[in-house]
Amino acid sequence: MILTGTEIAANVAAGRICIDPFDPHMTNPNSHNYRLGPVLRTMERTEVLDSVQAPEFEDVLIPPDGIVLRPNLVYLGTTLERIGSEWYVPSLIGRSSVGRLGLYLQISADLGQLGAEHHWTLELAAVQPIRVYAGMTIGQVSFWEPIGEKVRYCGYYGTRSDPAPWSPEAVIGWNRPNHGQLSSVERQESQ
Amino acid sequence: MILTGPEIKRQVDSGRICISPFNIDQLSPNSYDFRLSETIAWYVDDILDCRQYNKTITSTIPEEGMVLRPDRIYLGSTAERMGSEHYVPIIRARSSIARLGLFIHVTADLIDIGSINHWTLQMHAVQPTRIYPGMLIGQVTFWCTKGEIVLYRGKYRNSVGPMGSLIHLDAERESNAALA
């Protein structure tokens, strides 16, 4: 079940959902809007991105008169707000006002994990050149009630509140939280 | 929880979901396929701006179709009037359309509860793609809610054709708030 805006606000008040800062005017009928943080990270100096190589990146502070995003590049940004919940599963997408301008806020990865509470990394991609501004209301997050025992996310990206590029270790799967546990089981078996 | 196709039909019959016109042949096991209307729009300027009004041109998709360019965002509209005051709709492309590399929304699949109208589609083609008026382009699912429902009263209500972004109203609201 998806939480209504009223229910999101009630859970923020009860401490079961973190949206910080929380502005009640940004609540929608079944989601809550978030704003764009001030820093964008680009990998435009690298011609071909390599999933198992750490990227060379450049940080840009969005000036007061905005910055024009160019098509055919991925820009990593963050939510201005800290967002997360141990109780409800977040799904982070754009707003229709922004989608109508052809700006993607994530690249087929809208699903958050239970327990990850941080400034979320946004994957911005523009169909046409578009000027964006720091602090603008750019997307929305919805919250979903899960079924089953809850386990907290302990993965790498949940600790990052900057526009975090991919981690080669995470791509390969070396830093999965259960990898250490699995290898200790394997060690015991081999002894 | 997601509604099954037969449950969508039952809710349409009881008036708790609006899909108009409704055609039983467009019902899937857990979604309903919708059509593309004949009206299409795009922006006049090449560079868009989140604080300015971005002017659009509106046109009609001819019977012989129209080719969408990859470097442009197009606004279409559902042929059907749809929505619900009881369930949250989520839209997406049909897999037949996705296999062509055609996005029908740009990370904005979630429809507000109470937004009952012809929804605007945000169309982006990865390769040049020919589209036709009336084609079955997308599907809508309906989801149960938890909590008190407050219906959508936003700026896109009552839209009938493809509606351009009204994001410049945010900047006006923000500057009015700063002045107040």
Side-chain angles (χ1 to χ4, degrees), chain B residues 89-145:
Chain B
I90 291 184
I91 60 164
R92 46 167 63 73
R94 294 174 63 222
S95 98
S96 300
I97 300 301
R99 288 163 212 248
L100 291 161
L102 177 60
F103 289 86
I104 69 150
H105 72 79
V106 175
T107 52
D109 57 349
L110 190 67
I111 309 285
D112 284 316
I113 196 161
S115 171
I116 302 174
N117 50 46
H118 297 261
W119 297 326
T120 294
L121 302 173
Q122 304 133 14
M123 296 189 290
H124 169 219
V126 175
Q127 291 180 222
T129 305
R130 186 176 291 274
I131 58 162
Y132 299 87
M135 67 187 285
L136 287 169
I137 199 163
Q139 53 185 322
V140 55
T141 53
F142 291 91
W143 300 80
C144 295
T145 61

Side-chain angles (χ1 to χ4, degrees), chain B residues 3 9 36 138 147 154 157:
Chain B
L3 270 57
K9 162 87 169 62
L36 176 67
R157 68 182 179 277

Side-chain angles (χ1 to χ4, degrees), chain B residues 8-9 12 22 51 57 71 73 92 142 155 160 176 180:
Chain B
I8 293 173
K9 162 87 169 62
V12 168
F22 180 84
R51 279 195 187 158
I57 302 172
D71 59 353
I73 182 78
R92 46 167 63 73
F142 291 91
K155 50 189 178 287
V160 281
N176 287 342

Side-chain angles (χ1 to χ4, degrees), chain A residues 111-126:
Chain A
L111 187 68
Q113 298 292 339
L114 284 175
E117 191 183 299
H118 57 139
H119 299 263
W120 292 66
T121 293
L122 305 170
E123 302 113 22
L124 294 100

